[in-house]
Amino acid sequence: MMESRETWVALSALQHLLFCERQAALIHVERLWLEDVNTATGRLLHERVDLPGHDARPGRRVERAVRLGCQRLRLTGRANLVEYHPDSTSPTGWRPFPVEVKRGRRKSEDADRVQLCAQALCLEEMHGVEVPEGALFHGAQHRRQAVRFDAGLRARTEAAVARMHELLERGHVPVVPRAPKCEKCSLESLCLPQVTAGQRRASDHLKRMMESVEF
Ligand code: SF4
């Protein structure tokens, strides 16, 4: 029986997860969303680059807004852009090369690289060829950063997909401590990290008290 794609992980969820597990769960388990100026700018940029289409550039074929899926990982989503480079060592004569367009500067964390690697894992299954590298295009710097999909990045990506499946299957929204990144989070007013983390501290304290009481 074909499994419903409702239970699949969205490629976009991986970036949320690497930023904050609670944010990923609020968006993908609780289906909450609030737009701020950063997310609105990102959305408008993606609407511009995400128009389906294709064209040929010297030495490559380019497809935009490409639907992706991976049965093995139960992963689904869309790539901004996939280039197909001629490659005589590939069984198809072509090698897919995903390019993800990002609004801001290069992030120190792995979130963008993990999302791109997840696209590569989908393309590998869809085309039956190895996809060894892709690129991130950062709007603020107007340049590409090459990303190699090495064993470490593949392992981190598969671990992130597995963790997202776990949150979705349990319908779980983890409580995490407030951190400096909360100030950049568009969901801060829904998440209330200072309140929820405080509640957890209080409930942990209560639990420890109960455990120490002998009945
Ligand atoms: S406000 Fe902080 S804890 Fe809450 S979802 Fe955002 S980053 Fe995570």
Side-chain angles (χ1 to χ4, degrees):
M1 192 176 65
M2 192 74 180
E3 196 167 354
S4 158
R5 288 207 170 196
E6 283 289 295
T7 62
W8 287 29
V9 164
L11 283 164
S12 60
L14 301 178
Q15 231 199 5
H16 299 140
L17 186 86
L18 270 100
F19 178 69
C20 168
E21 287 203 348
R22 182 168 170 80
Q23 191 202 61
L26 287 171
I27 296 170
H28 299 275
V29 175
E30 297 286 333
R31 307 269 173 193
L32 296 176
W33 180 248
L34 265 186
E35 194 152 80
D36 64 7
V37 69
N38 288 322
T39 57
T41 316
R43 179 176 53 75
L44 291 173
L45 175 75
H46 276 101
E47 280 171 8
R48 260 204 358 251
V49 297
D50 256 7
L51 296 173
H54 56 89
D55 55 69
R57 295 182 191 169
R60 66 191 65 175
R61 184 163 58 85
V62 179
E63 287 188 9
R64 291 186 295 276
V66 181
R67 297 286 318 166
L68 298 176
C70 175
Q71 287 268 358
R72 179 176 67 86
L73 297 172
R74 289 183 296 138
L75 188 59
T76 185
R78 206 147 74 142
N80 293 144
L81 204 98
V82 180
E83 296 179 351
Y84 294 86
H85 299 180
D87 186 337
S88 58
T89 64
S90 160
T92 60
W94 294 91
R95 183 83 58 198
F97 183 94
V99 180
E100 178 71 11
V101 180
K102 293 294 174 194
R103 182 186 54 83
R105 294 187 169 275
R106 183 152 71 97
K107 289 193 176 72
S108 55
E109 64 263 49
D110 257 356
D112 291 344
R113 285 158 27 96
V114 162
Q115 192 184 7
L116 188 69
C117 182
Q119 294 178 8
L121 296 174
C122 292
L123 287 163
E124 287 186 340
E125 188 183 277
M126 290 164 67
H127 294 281
V129 296
E130 199 194 338
V131 179
E133 62 181 350
L136 295 169
F137 178 84
H138 291 276
Q141 289 144 324
H142 284 281
R143 65 183 170 85
R144 282 187 177 198
Q145 176 208 356
V147 177
R148 279 207 70 78
F149 306 126
D150 60 22
L153 181 56
R154 286 168 185 265
R156 282 199 297 287
T157 304
E158 295 210 14
V161 176
R163 176 62 177 151
M164 198 62 228
H165 273 300
E166 192 186 333
L167 294 177
L168 288 173
E169 276 152 27
R170 291 172 53 206
H172 178 53
V173 180
V175 175
V176 302
R178 186 180 164 75
K181 66 185 172 190
C182 297
E183 282 167 28
K184 292 189 280 175
C185 176
S186 65
L187 293 190
E188 189 179 11
S189 62
L190 292 174
C191 165
L192 301 173
Q194 60 280 49
V195 177
T196 46
Q199 278 172 352
R200 188 182 63 162
R201 278 196 298 274
S203 68
D204 286 350
H205 177 65
L206 210 60
K207 189 161 164 255
R208 277 197 301 277
M209 265 179 60
M210 294 299 286
E211 283 166 357
S212 65
V213 174
E214 287 182 18
F215 293 100

